[in-house]
Amino acid sequence: MITPLELIQFTRQASVALIGAAALWGLYFYYQAKKSTGEKKRTLQEVTHKMLEPLSVATVVFTIAHYLLDFQLNYRVLAHEGITINPTIDWLRAGLLVTEPFVIALILFFVAGLIYRANNKKGFIEHIHYFYTTILVLATIIISLPVWTGINAEKLFFIGHNMHSILTLGTVLILDFVMLKAKYTDTYKKHLYPHLPTISKVIWLGLAIDFISVAFVFEQAMVWTNKFVFMQIIVGIIIINGIFLSGPVTRKLNESVKGKTVKPLSKKWNMAATISGCISIASWTTITFTDFLKGVDTLSLSAFITAYIGFVILAFIIYETMEHYKVGENW
Amino acid sequence: MLEMKLEVSWVLFVIAGFFIILGLPTGWTANFWYWAFPRTLYIIGVIYFWREH
């Protein structure tokens, strides 16, 4: 039921969202570090530099997914073209063609950046904001044009509907990455937790951009299926869970670093924050992934919900395993 | 146990979430204006959230 094409499309979308988000937050922490002094400055500079890790992994995954998609669309699917007219495939092909120069630019710029870093690490860190800005611009262009429909309402929908992934899925992944580091280092807790409300603002904004983009195509795109109902339920869960995460959890985390020493969260709060974080990452992944699935409209709602609960449990197991092995402690 | 500080943004988010869910069993979400109503509240909530934090 899930085709390789859909899996590749999702991987490409998620990885470019992560590239964009890593560059965005790298840039944000760079300017926050610039305004700071002492230990805070050093910590934020470190975080700025650390954003290179998810960015590098995502760039490698994106490069593979992009050229796999290219191969699937231009070689394998081509064979079926005479049998089925599928405009989506045509739009996808046109999208690949339009974004190709930007993809090549992104890969070349990333490699050039790493070579420069290997030869002159100090110089690279000093000018890292130019690197992140360029990567962010390229990633935004690539993610905004996964399909090319010409210039019309559909185009506006696709731009908003895809670009928001940098602010939502990508940012949630970066948040998890940063929290993993903060978990074992008090200085990180102290200087990163105050930035959590800003991260929440950006995620809320991302969902708002998605809502606005859907308004452009609502009349022609609205089809009442189980998939649609399921996606609406997940949107509801994201909002309710987001209220809890950006509200009591963020406040509790910030309270824990207000004194001279960092107070650890109680077991109850720790568990609540973990479950809420797992719901957040599983919901954003589910919603992005389901978006690419074309042949699941006939699935029952209970099947969708079971799969979603499976995703949440999987996220929880991954988190608990990482905690057990203290992943991030010696980062 | 849960410390909830009442903020305009959260009130708007809760109302938006309620209407999004309500639109599903009733089928009202199929109407553009019903679909747009909770989302408008949500967007106003986001604006408030930016101002409040």
Side-chain angles (χ1 to χ4, degrees), chain A residues 268-323:
Chain A
K268 262 186 200 166
W269 274 100
N270 210 11
M271 186 48 83
T274 303
I275 293 172
S276 194
C278 290
I279 291 174
S280 175
I281 188 73
S283 302
W284 282 112
T285 311
T286 304
I287 213 166
T288 310
F289 184 47
T290 313
D291 220 17
F292 289 104
L293 303 179
K294 305 284 181 284
V296 293
D297 285 355
T298 50
L299 266 185
S300 69
L301 198 55
S302 55
F304 273 117
I305 291 170
T306 308
Y308 169 69
I309 293 171
F311 267 128
V312 175
I313 293 171
L314 182 68
F316 185 75
I317 291 170
I318 292 172
Y319 182 84
E320 286 296 306
T321 310
M322 285 169 87
E323 181 152 283

Side-chain angles (χ1 to χ4, degrees), chain A residues 160-281:
Chain A
H161 193 60
N162 289 289
M163 190 266 278
H164 85 87
S165 288
I166 291 180
L167 310 181
T168 53
L169 177 65
T171 297
V172 170
L173 287 168
I174 290 297
L175 178 64
D176 285 344
F177 179 73
V178 164
M179 291 302 275
L180 197 67
K181 175 67 186 165
K183 195 173 178 63
Y184 299 101
T185 319
D186 282 354
T187 47
Y188 272 65
K189 282 190 182 117
K190 215 169 141 188
H191 302 301
L192 282 177
Y193 287 175
H195 297 282
L196 292 179
T198 307
I199 297 177
S200 296
K201 280 180 192 175
V202 169
I203 298 170
W204 286 126
L205 178 70
L207 187 59
I209 290 173
D210 189 38
F211 286 161
I212 294 168
S213 72
V214 174
F216 287 109
V217 293
F218 184 84
E219 298 294 349
Q220 66 262 42
M222 171 44 225
V223 186
W224 196 275
T225 58
N226 284 339
K227 178 179 157 182
F228 173 78
V229 173
F230 171 67
M231 298 281 262
Q232 297 300 308
I233 293 172
I234 302 297
V235 167
I237 292 173
I238 283 174
I239 294 176
I240 303 299
N241 187 55
I243 294 171
F244 178 65
L245 263 184
S246 65
V249 172
T250 301
R251 197 175 305 128
K252 204 80 194 166
L253 288 171
N254 272 321
E255 273 170 18
S256 73
V257 295
K258 282 232 167 96
K260 279 189 176 171
T261 54
V262 177
K263 285 181 281 176
L265 283 189
S266 68
K267 269 191 176 175
K268 262 186 200 166
W269 274 100
N270 210 11
M271 186 48 83
T274 303
I275 293 172
S276 194
C278 290
I279 291 174
S280 175
I281 188 73

Side-chain angles (χ1 to χ4, degrees), chain A residues 201 204 207-208 211-212 214-215 218-219 222 224 228 232-233 239 243-244 246-248 251-252 255 269, chain B residues 1-5 7 10 13-14 20-21 23-24 27 29-32 35 39 42-43 46 49-50 53:
Chain A
K201 280 180 192 175
W204 286 126
L207 187 59
F211 286 161
I212 294 168
V214 174
F218 184 84
E219 298 294 349
M222 171 44 225
W224 196 275
F228 173 78
Q232 297 300 308
I233 293 172
I239 294 176
I243 294 171
F244 178 65
S246 65
R251 197 175 305 128
K252 204 80 194 166
E255 273 170 18
W269 274 100
Chain B
M1 189 186 89
L2 291 184
E3 291 168 37
M4 288 295 288
K5 190 177 134 198
E7 289 184 6
W10 292 333
F13 289 153
V14 169
I20 286 173
I21 301 295
L24 298 175
T29 307
N31 177 288
F32 176 76
W35 173 88
R39 283 152 182 85
Y42 170 83
I43 291 166
V46 173
F49 189 85
W50 275 71
H53 293 267

